Amino acid sequence: MAPLKIIGAGFGRTGTLSLCYALDMLGYNCHHMEKLILDPSQDPEAFEAAYHTRTADWDKIFANYDAAVDWPSAEFWPELLKQYPDAKVILTVRDPNDWYASVGKTIKEWPMDSTIRWPERMLKTRAMARVIVKEGALKDYTDKNLMISKFKENIERAKATVPDNQLLIFRPSEGWGPLCRFLGIPEPEAEFPRCNRREDFVDRLRWVRESLENGKFLSAMPYRGDIINVSSN
């Protein structure tokens, strides 16, 4: 695939996994941190290299995708928009204080039990996320006011940078309506996916681990309604 038709500019923990599954249901193939782990064609180190140089062969990185949300791709949304100027940009948002609390319980540390043997792909992805997310986007997490200020700055940057007709400011709790109108696609009959609550985060990591250990890579995986049909938090 590629070039990207949709670029996600929202930080992680703003409903990006719900959006990812929703876009998949609408016919896109959407990139996300979780898919990076489960897709054997993906190389976490390519994103880490791009972080240091701010350049990359984006067509190659996203060869199998036409949409990308969540970190690591959200780190590069300005570069991606320059590469794909006709793409639509979806900025997922939520209450800044709720976002800050959710991050602290989940992705800030990626709570992988040290007594468990984790697949190499997960370890490589975690190492990349440490550079781009923990030591990058979230490096000032201990200063709540500064971190929330950066969260808001990202929103304002998108508003100032992306043409109005290419930007959707979206709360996944709003469901299909705003998203489908923005994309010019009829609303599906299925419920809008709501997933990855913070209290489910560890269980989801374990599910990803079990999927890899059982050889269930992305191409062989069904839509996981039993896991994702829960409220995003």
Side-chain angles (χ1 to χ4, degrees), residues 56-218:
D57 185 343
W58 298 117
D59 283 353
K60 181 179 180 180
I61 286 177
F62 293 110
N64 298 321
Y65 297 89
D66 56 3
V69 304
D70 192 50
W71 284 311
S73 59
E75 166 66 22
F76 304 103
W77 73 259
E79 289 89 346
L80 292 175
L81 184 58
K82 183 177 292 187
Q83 177 75 13
Y84 308 112
D86 296 326
K88 292 181 178 293
V89 177
I90 300 177
L91 175 66
T92 43
V93 298
R94 68 184 296 183
D95 176 83
N97 286 289
D98 289 346
W99 170 80
Y100 183 83
S102 182
V103 166
K105 298 287 187 179
T106 55
I107 57 177
K108 179 179 176 293
E109 296 296 341
W110 263 46
M112 290 164 59
D113 188 341
S114 60
T115 65
I116 296 175
R117 181 177 179 182
W118 295 90
E120 186 65 21
R121 284 196 62 81
M122 293 190 76
L123 295 175
K124 284 185 176 181
T125 304
R126 188 189 194 193
M128 175 274 295
R130 177 174 293 276
V131 172
I132 294 178
V133 182
K134 183 176 180 180
E135 297 172 357
L138 301 179
K139 68 178 180 179
D140 296 308
Y141 184 82
T142 56
D143 185 333
K144 181 178 179 180
N145 290 335
L146 179 56
M147 195 68 254
I148 287 179
S149 176
K150 290 190 173 183
F151 177 79
K152 292 178 178 179
E153 285 173 5
N154 183 65
I155 294 172
E156 294 306 314
R157 184 181 186 188
K159 290 179 180 179
T161 303
V162 184
D164 290 344
N165 65 337
Q166 289 178 242
L167 177 65
L168 173 66
I169 300 172
F170 182 59
R171 294 177 180 267
S173 60
E174 297 171 323
W176 291 116
L179 179 63
C180 290
R181 287 193 295 272
F182 179 64
L183 298 176
I185 296 175
E187 294 185 32
E189 295 182 1
E191 291 185 9
F192 191 91
R194 307 191 185 283
C195 52
N196 210 15
R197 296 182 304 179
R198 57 184 162 190
E199 57 264 35
D200 297 328
F201 190 80
V202 173
D203 287 340
R204 195 165 190 96
L205 285 175
R206 289 173 178 163
W207 170 75
V208 170
R209 170 178 168 266
E210 291 171 3
S211 297
L212 289 176
E213 290 181 340
N214 293 328
K216 294 182 179 179
F217 291 101
L218 193 63

